[in-house]
Amino acid sequence: MSAVAESFLRITGLRRLTGEVTVNGAKNAALPCLAAALLSDEPSRLTRVPDIEDVRRLIDILTFVGVDSEFAGGEVFISHTRECGGAPPDELAAALRASFLIMGPLLARTGQASCGAPGGDVIGARPLDVHLAGFRALGAQIETVGGRTIARAPRGLCGATIVLDYPSVLGTENLLLAAVLAEGRTQIVNAAMEPEITCLADMLNGMGARISNAGQHTITIDGVERLSGAEHELIPDRIETGTLLISAAATRGDVCLRGVHPEHNEALLAKLAEIGVDVRLGPNQLDIRVDADAALYATNVQALPFPGFATDLQAPITALLTQVQGTSIVHERVFENRMQHLDELRKFGANIIAGGAAPVIIGPTPFSGAMVRGSDIRGTAALIVAALAAAGESRIYGVEHLARGYADLPGQLRALGADIEQLPGLDTLSP
Ligand code: UD1
């Protein structure tokens, strides 16, 4: 415990969530689509952009390398691209993992790109070998100097067949962003299939790129000489969607989410139905309603690349499974160090047997309010789920992690009846 002054979330739990709320655009689609602005000198407009810290930081990074933009009212207007090139300061690159997405487009457009070591959540080793092997296959030379990656392709990039060692999401996106301007045909084999990849490919095709089969194992890209600007709406955030659905279930609530794509959350919806939540899709397939009034039972979950259960929802569903009848195992198979939330969940009263990447959760355990600290975006969201299910008042620190990835999760939960507010820092004890 140390004396600090920092803001925190105060939550009084055991309020049943009810009502409806609209979901924001996807964080993980906004980032690659913003990076795509580097590929053209014409104006572009992105809509349904979530107002989150990672988006603001990437906009700052893009300003350093030649993209002028304005962000207001959920829209980013990219007015024009100056001569692009150079590199952002290393501290900015280190602020988020997606800073590395400037590499593909800068390399393709200018023949040279450079970026300091990217940051982001500390949830595992997070190497860059998939990105770098792909750039090399397209003809680039790579060197790493003092943690900074420098890629050069003075004679331009040349299409190639690239077999990814792992279907990395940002790796696939970086290679797509490079290959659209490479000469000839590129095939990305063992590509990530996340919906955010398809969203990026749709934007690039709107700019004149020739990409087919995005969202499948093998993506084909026929390079073009130049790209125009684009108007592009981002897909709804499936992780925000999932966090809200899990929060509803943890309070035995009855909640409808509007403007979502249920097919992006199939693995979660199947698990919710399996544990006893009544899941219904609206007639237009753009709404999901969950009603968790009945008894809920344990299940096992494996976090996997899409279309498997999303690793970003692993921590939130673990919080929910502490509140259901029986023994569950949650197996994290994407990141090797994504379990920091477990000790904090135990402070609410969770009975979790450590099991490396596959902890065992024995439920239900009645929760009482606790003072806890989140250490990454989704782990902090899991602590909110726990506090919503806990009797009495909780305080959650580490809200800066939440602000990186959720536009207004506390506001959305409040609209559904949660007693939650963000309070300014008090000169007091925090965990
Ligand atoms: C993206 C998402 C993140 C999500 C993750 C997995 C963004 C901005 N972030 O992160 O929210 O949790 O996908 O769905 O979109 N790996 C390698 N070599 C590489 C790259 C990755 O071995 O070159 C490994 C990683 O260590 C990890 C696994 O691949 O074990 C998944 O990482 P990856 O798909 O690259 O995640 P990100 O794209 O960083």
Side-chain angles (χ1 to χ4, degrees), residues 180-261:
V180 283
L181 289 182
E183 193 182 328
R185 173 167 286 196
T186 297
Q187 288 203 303
I188 305 177
V189 182
N190 195 27
M193 302 199 293
E194 271 69 3
E196 293 77 17
I197 306 282
T198 313
C199 184
L200 170 64
D202 287 346
M203 172 166 177
L204 292 170
N205 282 341
M207 295 168 77
R210 293 171 58 204
I211 302 170
S212 49
N213 298 335
Q216 300 183 32
H217 278 295
T218 299
I219 305 177
T220 303
I221 305 119
D222 286 303
V224 296
E225 273 185 17
R226 62 177 300 280
L227 293 171
S228 59
E231 288 232 354
H232 184 63
E233 181 176 293
L234 299 177
I235 54 173
D237 195 308
R238 65 196 167 93
I239 308 303
E240 180 184 295
T241 301
T243 306
L244 288 164
L245 294 175
I246 289 168
S247 301
T251 66
R252 301 293 189 268
D254 181 355
V255 162
C256 180
L257 300 187
R258 300 271 187 216
V260 293
H261 289 180

Side-chain angles (χ1 to χ4, degrees), residues 77-125:
F77 181 69
I78 293 134
S79 46
H80 69 275
T81 306
R82 287 171 272 126
E83 183 85 2
C84 41
D90 287 358
E91 324 73 87
L92 259 186
L96 74 165
R97 178 80 177 164
S99 56
F100 208 66
L101 284 177
I102 62 171
M103 291 294 288
L106 279 179
L107 187 58
R109 186 123 181 255
T110 69
Q112 169 148 346
S114 164
C115 186
D121 283 338
V122 183
I123 51 180

Side-chain angles (χ1 to χ4, degrees), residues 28 97 126-130 166 168-170 312 334-335 338:
N28 289 350
R97 178 80 177 164
R126 308 192 87 174
L128 295 166
D129 54 309
V130 169
Y166 187 94
S168 159
V169 175
L170 288 174
D312 285 347
V334 179
F335 291 105
R338 203 170 204 183

